[in-house]
């Protein structure tokens, strides 16, 4: 089972400029994500780690950590609506990467408190189910999140999944294990049923603003105290 990890790290960010290079505890969000991938590689779960970017500073930072970079295509760089899934496909369609890998791990740098242990448990969950479904790390929600409501063409809001029964989870981008063929077939990560690996709330902190960065720093210091 050949596995590649892609770290999508763009250079531009509206709400938190250069956020992927901002630091927590003296290590950038990008570097902290790379630290996790190196732990996973040492345990035999990853064969290749790649940073996908459109920014020379991020390219230099990745190379300084010994990680190769996929420079995004012009079409991907110029698309203001490009999603993480689009970035993944941009990598997979380059040099037939889609055919070279059986599994793909996607780690966005904005979840700096994730751990290799949680990502490894997500992999084992996928393996234990015969690699038949994608796996996402997520946190339990106290109630159905509002973001699960879809605005339909008739002007009404509807829940895209059954609202009664079961547990609700929120995926904050911590980790996704999937297959290249599923990324090709689906338009989003939510087009097919997936498995959920629950993680502690602090691991799901998503840094997108200055306040998020302060919260993440405080949680990191608390864990070390």
């Amino acid at each position: 089972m050949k596995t590649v990890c892609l770290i999508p790290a763009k250079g531009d960010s509206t709400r938190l400029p250069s956020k992927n290079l901002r630091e927590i505890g003296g290590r950038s969000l990008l570097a902290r994500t790379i630290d996790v991938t190196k732990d996973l590689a040492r345990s035999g779960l990853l064969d290749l780690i790649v940073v996908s970017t459109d920014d020379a500073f991020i390219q230099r930072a990745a190379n300084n950590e010994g990680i190769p970079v996929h420079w995004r295509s012009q079409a991907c760089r110029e698309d203001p609506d490009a999603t993480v899934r689009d970035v993944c496909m941009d990598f997979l369609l380059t040099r037939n990467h889609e055919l070279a890998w059986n599994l793909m791990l996607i780690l966005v740098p904005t979840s700096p408190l994730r751990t290799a242990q949680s990502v490894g448990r997500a992999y084992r969950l996928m393996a234990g189910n015969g690699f038949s479904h994608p796996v996402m790390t997520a946190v339990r929600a106290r109630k159905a999140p509002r973001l699960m409501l879809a605005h339909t063409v008739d002007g009404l809001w509807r829940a895209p999944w059954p609202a009664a029964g079961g547990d609700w989870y929120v995926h904050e981008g911590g980790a996704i294990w999937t297959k290249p063929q599923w990324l090709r077939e689906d338009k989003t990560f939510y087009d097919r049923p997936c498995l959920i690996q629950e993680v502690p709330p602090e691991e799901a902190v998503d840094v997108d603003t200055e306040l998020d960065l302060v919260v993440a720093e405080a949680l990191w210091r608390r864990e070390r105290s």
Side-chain angles (χ1 to χ4, degrees):
M1 188 72 73
K2 295 190 65 178
T3 305
V4 59
C5 175
L6 190 72
I7 303 174
K10 66 179 182 179
D12 183 36
S13 178
T14 303
R15 287 191 286 180
L16 186 60
S18 301
K19 67 179 178 182
N20 290 314
L21 295 178
R22 299 293 291 271
E23 293 186 352
I24 291 175
R27 293 282 282 167
S28 70
L29 304 189
L30 176 63
R32 289 187 170 278
T33 301
I34 290 173
D35 290 342
V36 169
T37 64
K38 288 181 177 179
D39 285 344
L40 294 169
R42 281 190 289 268
S43 67
L45 295 186
L46 297 178
D47 298 293
L48 177 67
I49 304 162
V50 179
V51 171
S52 167
T53 193
D54 56 1
D55 182 82
F57 292 103
I58 289 178
Q59 180 181 35
R60 185 183 309 160
N63 291 161
N64 287 342
E65 297 287 337
I67 302 300
V69 164
H70 166 71
W71 194 260
R72 298 178 186 178
S73 68
Q74 182 176 354
C76 187
R77 295 196 306 270
E78 294 179 351
D79 183 358
D81 300 318
T83 63
V84 172
R85 181 262 179 191
D86 296 331
V87 169
C88 292
M89 288 306 303
D90 184 67
F91 164 75
L92 289 170
L93 294 176
T94 303
R95 300 178 184 174
N96 291 323
H97 279 299
E98 183 182 12
L99 303 177
W101 306 101
N102 305 112
L103 287 180
M104 188 173 196
L105 170 63
I106 304 158
L107 298 179
V108 294
T110 52
S111 295
L113 302 183
R114 74 162 72 79
T115 63
Q117 290 77 13
S118 289
V119 181
R121 284 194 293 270
Y123 173 87
R124 290 189 289 275
L125 177 62
M126 189 180 194
N129 284 268
F131 299 100
S132 58
H133 298 285
V135 179
M136 296 184 181
T137 55
V139 290
R140 191 181 297 266
R142 295 181 179 179
K143 60 181 180 180
R146 288 177 296 171
L147 290 179
M148 284 189 178
L149 295 176
H151 196 209
T152 54
V153 292
D154 58 8
L156 300 175
W157 291 86
R158 292 191 176 91
W161 295 292
D167 296 320
W168 294 93
Y169 290 89
V170 180
H171 170 64
E172 293 290 355
I176 300 173
W177 287 98
T178 188
K179 293 182 179 180
Q181 68 187 68
W182 296 338
L183 287 174
R184 182 187 67 248
E185 295 166 358
D186 302 339
K187 296 299 183 184
T188 74
F189 294 114
Y190 308 100
D191 284 358
R192 65 181 64 227
C194 69
L195 297 164
I196 291 297
Q197 175 62 56
E198 187 173 357
V199 299
E202 58 270 17
E203 288 195 30
V205 169
D206 184 60
V207 176
D208 202 35
T209 66
E210 290 284 356
L211 179 58
D212 295 334
L213 199 65
V214 171
V215 170
E217 176 82 25
L219 288 170
W220 177 80
R221 292 185 180 277
R222 188 182 70 178
E223 290 177 2
R224 293 177 57 86
S225 63

